[in-house]
């Protein structure tokens, strides 16, 4: 990424770190031009930069994590597929006359093992986002996803899904074409598949749009991703009639990976490189690949019946609570 591009996509809380790194680069360039040895000073500043990076990214608020999850340079489904898989063959269409670009999927090899991978796909710029509908899938997208998963189940291939959407497309046309039915049908069918299913929230997991490909034996989340029933902006608008109170809503909704792990909603937090996945995408892909392979190995040792029961009990526990009487 060029310096100009990085500055364009810089988040407010990243600015102190960016300024320090820019200073380090400036000192290094001046030292090379004047043939001056400033290696000790560079090491000191780099240590300070790493310390600052740790301080910033270890104390992010829910709203700041949401900003990271929505970062324009955050790796997408296709980025992870290309970085992790040995082979990749994309499949298109829902066999009903549509091919929704907001969901991509196909057949791949992960360390030589055939798998089916699918997920939401956002764009890199405004033009691409319009084509991808900002990762908001239509009914045809969920039907395409189901077709691919049924193919995987038929041929005994594990299913890996990547969740990254603000929600399903809520347009009138989507409702006319059966958006709710498409998502509900996916939920039912995913509970019945016999092959291992691993779902990972790689960015923003929003509402039923995330659930449409989110029923699995294991649910993982990247460290700085978010998973929520509604966006903080929508929640604030509904509860307090003011979308500007989204920071308050983000705290109340418990959208972060640490919150959801504590609540038992997710099974594992996949660490991100220091500075977030967008700063070191290949390292982020390597960490995710390791987590997927480890979980896949454990799930492969179970029988189909055991996996189905695990899946069922996992989602039955979500939302359970105990009432304490004083």
């Amino acid at each position: 990424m060029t310096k100009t591009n990085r500055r364009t996509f810089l988040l407010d809380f990243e600015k102190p770190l960016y300024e320090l790194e820019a200073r380090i680069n400036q000192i290094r360039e001046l030292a090379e031009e004047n043939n001056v040895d400033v290696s000790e000073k560079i090491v000191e500043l780099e240590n300070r930069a790493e310390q600052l990076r740790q301080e910033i990214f270890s104390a992010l608020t829910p709203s700041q994590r949401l900003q990271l999850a929505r970062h324009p340079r955050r790796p997408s489904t296709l980025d992870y597929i290309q970085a992790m898989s040995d082979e990749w063959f994309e499949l298109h269409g829902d066999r009903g006359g549509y091919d929704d670009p907001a969901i991509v999927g196909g057949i791949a090899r992960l360390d030589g093992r055939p798998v089916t991978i699918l997920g939401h796909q956002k764009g890199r710029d405004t033009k691409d986002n319009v084509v991808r509908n900002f990762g908001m899938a239509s009914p045809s997208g969920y039907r395409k996803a189901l077709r691919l998963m049924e193919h995987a189940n038929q041929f005994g291939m594990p299913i890996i899904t990547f969740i990254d959407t603000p929600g399903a497309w809520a347009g009138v046309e989507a409702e006319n074409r059966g958006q709710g039915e498409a998502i509900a049908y996916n939920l039912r069918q995913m509970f019945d598949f016999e092959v291992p299913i691993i779902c990972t929230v790689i960015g923003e997991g929003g509402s039923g749009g995330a659930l449409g490909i989110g029923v699995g034996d294991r649910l993982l989340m990247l460290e700085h991703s978010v998973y929520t029933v509604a966006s903080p902006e929508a929640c604030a608008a509904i509860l307090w009639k003011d979308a500007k109170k989204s920071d308050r809503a983000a705290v109340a909704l418990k959208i972060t990976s640490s919150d959801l792990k504590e609540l038992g909603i997710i099974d594992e937090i996949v660490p991100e490189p220091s500075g977030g996945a967008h700063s070191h995408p290949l390292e982020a892909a390597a960490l995710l690949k390791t987590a997927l392979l480890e979980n896949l190995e454990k799930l492969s040792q179970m029988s189909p019946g055991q996996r189905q029961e695990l899946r069922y009990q996992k989602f039955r526990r979500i939302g359970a609570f105990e009432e304490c009487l004083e």
Side-chain angles (χ1 to χ4, degrees):
M1 187 189 304
T2 65
K3 291 182 180 179
T4 301
N5 285 339
R6 184 179 175 187
R7 190 182 299 112
T8 301
F9 297 119
L10 203 62
L11 301 175
D12 288 342
F13 58 85
E14 292 181 303
K15 288 180 180 178
L17 180 61
Y18 173 81
E19 291 169 358
L20 180 55
E21 291 178 337
R23 181 184 171 195
I24 293 172
N25 291 331
Q26 185 180 30
I27 292 174
R28 185 181 285 113
E29 290 172 2
L30 288 172
E32 291 176 356
E33 290 175 3
N34 296 281
N35 197 25
V36 178
D37 183 11
V38 292
S39 55
E40 291 186 6
K41 182 64 175 178
I42 293 294
V43 170
E44 179 185 338
L45 290 173
E46 286 179 338
N47 289 337
R48 172 57 187 151
E50 181 57 32
Q51 181 182 354
L52 181 60
R53 185 180 293 107
Q54 294 292 341
E55 291 173 359
I56 291 173
F57 286 88
S58 64
L60 294 174
T61 66
S63 290
Q64 289 172 332
R65 290 183 185 272
L66 180 61
Q67 292 178 54
L68 277 179
R70 293 172 173 172
H71 199 290
R73 307 307 303 181
R74 192 169 177 84
S76 67
T77 291
L78 287 175
D79 292 328
Y80 283 118
I81 290 173
Q82 291 165 2
M84 293 190 305
S85 59
D86 308 321
E87 297 179 61
W88 162 247
F89 187 82
E90 186 174 354
L91 300 173
H92 295 272
D94 65 350
R95 294 300 184 265
Y98 298 95
D99 181 31
D100 185 0
I103 284 189
V104 297
I107 302 169
R109 287 187 184 274
L110 205 61
D111 264 16
R113 178 169 188 165
V115 296
T116 291
I117 306 179
L118 57 101
H120 303 99
Q121 180 65 33
K122 293 180 177 178
R124 277 285 177 239
D125 52 35
T126 302
K127 183 179 179 180
D128 194 20
N129 261 319
V130 170
V131 172
R132 300 283 184 183
N133 201 27
F134 297 85
M136 296 184 292
S138 67
S140 63
Y142 290 105
R143 289 167 184 145
K144 175 168 75 170
L146 180 61
R147 180 180 75 83
L148 297 179
M149 291 188 286
E150 288 176 338
H151 178 272
N153 190 60
Q154 180 180 356
F155 290 98
M157 291 186 290
I159 298 168
I160 295 172
T161 74
F162 294 142
I163 298 167
D164 187 16
T165 180
W169 183 34
V172 174
E173 185 181 351
E175 295 302 323
N176 288 339
R177 286 160 47 194
Q179 183 71 287
E181 185 273 343
I183 292 174
Y185 193 71
N186 277 25
L187 298 181
R188 189 185 76 175
Q189 294 304 103
M190 291 184 79
F191 276 109
D192 197 45
F193 290 145
E194 296 184 346
V195 296
I197 307 175
I198 304 175
C199 307
T200 305
V201 183
I202 61 172
E204 185 178 9
S207 192
L211 282 176
I213 57 170
V215 175
D217 310 310
R218 300 282 290 175
L219 178 57
L220 317 183
M221 275 185 76
L222 292 187
E223 182 181 359
H224 299 310
S225 59
V226 298
Y227 195 35
T228 175
V229 68
S231 72
E233 294 88 352
C235 178
I238 293 169
L239 293 182
W240 302 298
K241 312 301 181 185
D242 186 359
K244 293 181 180 179
K245 294 183 178 179
S246 60
D247 289 358
R248 179 181 171 187
V251 175
L253 284 168
K254 304 292 186 182
I255 64 176
T256 67
S257 57
S258 55
D259 284 332
L260 294 166
K261 182 68 169 65
E262 184 177 347
L263 290 169
I265 305 297
I266 66 168
D267 300 297
E268 182 178 339
I269 299 173
V270 180
E272 295 187 26
S274 180
H278 66 283
S279 62
H280 302 285
L282 292 180
E283 185 179 344
L287 290 168
L288 178 54
K289 181 178 181 179
T290 298
L292 290 173
L293 289 172
E294 288 175 354
N295 281 279
L296 190 56
E297 179 62 28
K298 294 176 183 177
L299 292 172
S300 297
Q301 295 174 9
M302 299 180 182
S303 68
Q306 289 174 322
R307 286 193 294 266
Q308 289 170 331
E309 181 64 17
L310 174 68
R311 209 175 300 155
Y312 174 77
Q313 293 299 336
K314 170 182 173 54
F315 283 86
R316 287 290 295 176
R317 286 194 299 270
I318 294 177
F321 65 94
E322 294 182 2
E323 185 175 356
C324 298
L325 299 177
E326 295 183 357

